[in-house]
Amino acid sequence: MRASWFPFLTYALLGAAPALAEPSRTCLVLSGGGARGFAHVGVLKALEEHGVRVDCITGTSMGAIVGGLYAGGMNAAQLEKLVLHTNWEAMFSERPPRQELSLRRKEEDFRFPLPFEIGLRDWKFGLPRGAFATSGLELELKDLTAHLPEDIAFDRLPIPFRAVATDLESGEIKVFARGPLRLAMRASMSVPGAFAPTELDGRLYGDGGLVKNLPVDLARSLGATRVIAVNIGTPLSPRSELASFVGVTRQMINILTEQNVREQLARLRDHEDLLISPDLGEIGATDFKRGAEAIERGYRAAQSVAGRLAAFAQTGARPRPAPPTSAPDPERIDFVRFQAMEFADPEVLAASLDTQPGQTFDRARLHADLARLQGRGDFERLDYAIITERDRKGVLIEATEKSWGPNYLRFGLTASTDFRGDGSFNLRLGHVRTWVNSLGAEWRNEAQIGRTRRLRSEFYQPLAAANWLYLDAHAEHERSLIDAYAAGVRVAQFDRAISRVGLDLGAPVGKWGEGRLGLTAAHILAEPSVGIFPATYKAREAGYTASLVYDQLDSVNFPREGSRVKLSVLAASNALGSDASYLQTQFEAQKAFTLGANTINLALLAGGYGADDKTGGIGFSLGGFQQLSGFRNDEFRGNYLALGRVVAYRLIGTLPALGRAVYLGGSLEAGNVWATRGEVRELKTAASIFLGADTPLGPFYLAYGRGTGGATAVYMFLGRP
């Protein structure tokens, strides 16, 4: 008996008995770094090619998202396709594509191009908790993990997984080991200042990079005998990039992250473990459009250590197990319900959805509904769950209202000069109070200072929960300077004041537009302030109004596709107190289409009063950039207008750090303004060339224009032409 167990004991003590040798366990550790984390996908491609089987994964921030999706069942090829085919700009946008918004939201783009807002609640100002919206990302993660149970232990995934986040109240590390995988990944990627923190179970979580950006020790706790660590953290910035508050704040976060990364790197073993540090160059944490480049650099970095990877390869490795699956989507939904909210009315929101009780459940349709809800501007995040109540299956939507609402302040800015004395500057402040009552009424106010001074107030009242009909009451007062020209020379300047009130009955037409019928009354006064003309123009205007608007442009600044048409009619009537009876008509149409990097934007403007000399000659105007380029701003005035325009521009680059587009283009224009119908025949022609940029402050142009008779001008323009 002793002879039978003595050799076995000897081999065991010497570590020579194969049967007792502990099997190797390889854990993959993926660091955070925003868009730089796409390099992880390239590393995974190389690992699969070399037969490296991963037994567990730990990750932080983008490393948690890539690692979590891989652990949940996706392979490297699927992850690469996801990175390359996702519209990342739309993913992190506060709202869905412009074509999907209501016309009311689309019209805001014309007045308030600045992308940020300030909230006002209980007379305290508030700001969004993140620069980027995350509802698009959260819905995408929900879709990608829909096959998994919501409450799942991450050890039951095809590859055991852990995600790291930071408890923002205690400053301690939070390791997610179970729960909805999508929320663990999202919480780990709550980059301070960029993405709002994630609230789970009453705690507020931020980006895991603050406490552990490369969780090597967490991999050890999962039983890893060997570690493959991929470090893609953002390097520290040079002094030249520390001249702003944003640069200094970013550097402070990077310093904190770099310190905990160094501590984790010290835990790697020289012979057993492997560190892969892709050379990502100038790829930044927000360069999501450079996904293909980041993947390739990650792949090359892993291939450069192919000799080391061979030691991690396993022959005859068993395939990854299938993950546990969630209950299948219901064939039919019996109810759609919102959780209770402070301001928004659940019934009104439910009536606005395409997803309705009695339908076959369609996840894509529901996601589109939530995207449109996000576009209302009322909610910080949106989520939903499929629930069962007494054998009835339905959708429960959680809409988290903005903590800084329901009053919001928005800003707009326009400035221009033609470098020969004509310039203007206007600063606009807008206020909106949402959900004034249960039907979703809104009170909007606007104040503008500069060359044109304006005060406007509007009350918008839906008449039904489904908002198929509404009333809009508005009042405004505007004062502006009007120049008068003769042969291109300014000969006078008028101070024009218009006070107007109106009441409209309107009907939205889905996401495409709206129609309105209304009443209006105005008092117009134009007095000479400079020049040789002593005449003063006074008029009372009152009548019936009608308008139709169709708007499916993808952008108001540099549209790449879509069209917009607007027809407005005013029937002034003596019976309503107008000084004269006439029919004023205005029409505008725009069509944009793109081939590759080139866009053609066609526009047509027309208007008339149906009677001569009813406006003192100041009704319509043309002149200035893309309004007959080369001529003075508003050089031509009269009662009838026509303008046709073809604008072509080519995408030539993006603005550094902003990711917004830069264009090179030009325009051809033909049109004129006439005092009487009898003069409507002669057209003036013009052309321009320009360099344009879509900036956070709005569209910017540097342009040169030339018109009929040799008129020329150079323009610098911030705002829409």
Side-chain angles (χ1 to χ4, degrees):
M1 176 72 71
R2 180 175 300 175
S4 64
W5 59 262
F6 183 78
F8 181 84
L9 179 60
T10 302
Y11 294 148
L13 292 174
L14 294 175
L20 291 185
E22 181 181 348
S24 62
R25 183 173 173 82
T26 301
C27 196
L28 182 64
V29 179
L30 304 178
S31 76
R36 293 166 65 89
F38 291 150
H40 293 318
V41 178
V43 173
L44 288 171
K45 285 177 60 178
L47 296 185
E48 289 183 353
E49 289 179 6
H50 287 276
V52 177
R53 195 186 113 216
V54 176
D55 299 298
C56 55
I57 300 175
T58 64
T60 298
S61 196
M62 183 60 84
I65 289 183
V66 174
L69 294 177
Y70 193 74
M74 296 183 73
N75 58 36
Q78 291 170 323
L79 286 170
E80 182 176 28
K81 182 178 180 181
L82 176 68
V83 171
L84 299 183
H85 291 84
T86 295
N87 184 341
W88 294 100
E89 182 178 354
M91 181 73 70
F92 297 122
S93 174
E94 175 69 20
R95 64 185 197 180
R98 186 175 181 273
Q99 298 97 318
E100 298 295 322
L101 299 176
S102 68
L103 182 70
R104 190 163 180 79
R105 295 294 175 257
K106 292 172 182 173
E107 292 293 306
E108 292 177 351
D109 294 343
F110 292 95
R111 302 195 304 273
F112 301 105
L114 275 68
F116 61 88
E117 66 183 15
I118 296 176
L120 182 63
R121 174 181 287 203
D122 299 327
W123 300 105
K124 296 180 180 179
F125 293 107
L127 293 171
R129 293 189 289 182
F132 299 100
T134 59
S135 286
L137 173 65
E138 291 170 9
L139 288 176
E140 181 72 12
L141 292 177
K142 188 178 184 75
D143 205 32
L144 293 170
T145 59
H147 61 288
L148 299 171
E150 282 282 282
D151 187 20
I152 182 175
F154 295 166
D155 284 338
R156 296 183 61 211
L157 295 172
I159 302 175
F161 172 70
R162 298 291 187 272
V164 174
T166 303
D167 188 319
L168 293 180
E169 296 176 74
S170 67
E172 297 177 353
I173 186 172
K174 168 64 177 179
V175 177
F176 286 96
R178 71 173 303 127
L181 177 61
R182 59 189 173 87
L183 294 183
M185 294 187 291
R186 166 65 181 90
S188 183
M189 195 187 169
S190 301
V191 180
F195 304 122
T198 301
E199 186 171 351
L200 290 171
D201 300 324
R203 305 297 293 180
L204 205 60
Y205 297 110
D207 194 277
L210 297 174
V211 289
K212 195 165 292 184
N213 201 46
L214 188 70
V216 174
D217 58 353
L218 185 55
R220 301 279 188 221
S221 72
L222 294 178
T225 58
R226 302 185 301 184
V227 169
I228 300 176
V230 186
N231 182 27
I232 50 86
T234 305
L236 298 181
S237 303
R239 181 170 182 172
S240 59
E241 297 181 17
L242 304 179
S244 67
F245 168 78
V246 174
V248 172
T249 302
R250 183 172 57 239
Q251 185 81 328
M252 292 173 63
I253 295 173
N254 289 341
I255 289 173
L256 291 174
T257 301
E258 184 64 20
Q259 287 177 347
N260 68 61
V261 166
R262 290 175 182 172
E263 191 270 334
Q264 292 295 305
L265 288 175
R267 297 174 181 267
L268 295 176
R269 303 163 183 164
D270 291 338
H271 300 292
E272 293 90 348
D273 302 329
L274 175 62
L275 174 64
I276 300 175
S277 299
D279 179 10
L280 296 173
E282 70 287 357
I283 297 178
T286 59
D287 288 335
F288 291 97
K289 292 183 178 180
R290 301 178 68 177
E293 184 181 353
I295 290 173
E296 177 60 26
R297 293 193 181 205
Y299 178 78
R300 289 203 304 262
Q303 290 289 23
S304 69
V305 292
R308 292 289 311 277
L309 288 179
F312 288 83
Q314 298 182 16
T315 59
R318 66 181 184 276
R320 293 166 63 180
T325 57
S326 62
D329 288 339
E331 293 184 2
R332 178 179 177 274
I333 53 175
D334 300 305
F335 60 87
V336 179
R337 190 167 65 238
F338 282 79
Q339 289 187 346
M341 290 165 280
E342 184 177 0
F343 299 105
D345 187 273
E347 293 185 9
V348 171
L349 295 178
S352 70
L353 304 179
D354 289 338
T355 301
Q356 293 294 324
Q359 296 177 340
T360 299
F361 179 69
D362 186 329
R363 192 177 292 270
R365 178 171 57 201
L366 178 58
H367 284 202
D369 281 332
L370 296 184
R372 284 193 295 274
L373 284 179
Q374 184 70 30
R376 289 180 60 100
D378 298 323
F379 305 110
E380 188 171 357
R381 65 181 297 269
L382 293 157
D383 198 2
Y384 69 93
I386 308 298
I387 62 174
T388 302
E389 294 180 348
R390 297 189 296 275
D391 297 326
R392 299 172 70 246
K393 293 184 180 294
V395 178
L396 178 64
I397 298 175
E398 179 186 358
T400 304
E401 294 175 291
K402 290 179 175 178
S403 59
W404 56 94
N407 291 280
Y408 304 98
L409 303 179
R410 295 282 304 274
F411 304 90
L413 174 67
T414 62
S416 67
T417 179
D418 63 1
F419 297 100
R420 54 179 180 177
D422 280 345
S424 69
F425 175 86
N426 294 297
L427 178 63
R428 186 177 300 122
L429 170 65
H431 160 263
V432 59
R433 168 59 161 95
T434 61
W435 293 100
V436 177
N437 54 41
S438 61
L439 288 177
E442 293 182 351
W443 182 35
R444 292 177 175 269
N445 300 284
E446 182 180 320
Q448 177 174 301
I449 58 174
R451 184 179 178 90
T452 299
R453 292 140 288 166
R454 179 186 298 117
L455 290 174
R456 176 181 170 84
S457 187
E458 172 192 7
F459 194 84
Y460 175 88
Q461 177 63 66
L463 299 179
N467 192 24
W468 59 272
L469 200 64
Y470 64 84
L471 283 174
D472 187 309
H474 46 271
E476 69 176 314
H477 178 75
E478 176 183 294
R479 297 184 70 95
S480 57
L481 296 176
I482 302 296
D483 293 321
Y485 292 90
V489 177
R490 185 190 296 115
V491 294
Q493 189 174 74
F494 292 82
D495 186 0
R496 182 180 65 178
I498 302 177
S499 299
R500 184 181 299 276
V501 296
L503 178 66
D504 295 337
L505 178 67
V509 185
K511 62 185 180 183
W512 297 282
E514 68 174 20
R516 291 191 180 206
L517 296 173
L519 296 170
T520 187
H523 181 268
I524 305 169
L525 173 65
E527 298 179 300
S529 58
V530 177
I532 61 175
F533 300 107
T536 294
Y537 172 76
K538 290 184 179 181
R540 288 180 299 172
E541 182 180 80
Y544 306 96
T545 61
S547 66
L548 287 172
V549 183
Y550 169 88
D551 190 340
Q552 282 289 280
L553 288 176
D554 64 341
S555 169
V556 300
N557 295 340
F558 294 93
R560 303 267 291 164
E561 62 179 20
S563 55
R564 184 176 191 271
V565 178
K566 182 177 183 180
L567 174 65
S568 301
V569 177
L570 164 65
S573 171
N574 296 118
L576 294 179
S578 183
D579 288 343
S581 295
Y582 53 86
L583 186 68
Q584 180 204 38
T585 304
Q586 297 183 66
F587 175 79
E588 59 183 83
Q590 188 176 358
K591 171 65 178 177
F593 54 92
T594 296
L595 299 173
N598 302 300
T599 298
I600 303 295
N601 190 359
L602 308 176
L604 175 65
L605 306 176
Y609 275 83
D612 297 342
D613 196 26
K614 298 299 182 185
T615 67
I618 60 174
F620 297 110
S621 66
L622 278 180
F625 178 52
Q626 293 190 8
Q627 305 287 327
L628 291 182
S629 300
F631 293 100
R632 309 296 291 267
N633 292 327
D634 299 324
E635 181 173 338
F636 309 107
R637 292 187 175 274
N639 295 318
Y640 301 90
L641 170 148
L643 176 71
R645 180 175 64 214
V646 179
V647 183
Y649 40 90
R650 179 179 178 84
L651 178 65
I652 61 173
T654 58
L655 294 173
L658 299 175
R660 299 204 176 198
V662 178
Y663 299 94
L664 180 64
S667 67
L668 296 175
E669 309 140 38
N672 206 346
V673 178
W674 305 273
T676 66
R677 278 181 291 182
E679 298 175 354
V680 179
R681 51 183 180 273
E682 178 187 356
L683 293 178
K684 301 181 184 297
T685 59
S688 74
I689 56 173
F690 62 83
L691 181 68
D694 192 6
T695 78
L697 297 178
F700 172 82
Y701 296 89
L702 183 61
Y704 169 80
R706 185 177 181 88
T708 301
T712 61
V714 176
Y715 304 97
M716 187 165 65
F717 202 95
L718 178 64
R720 299 181 64 253

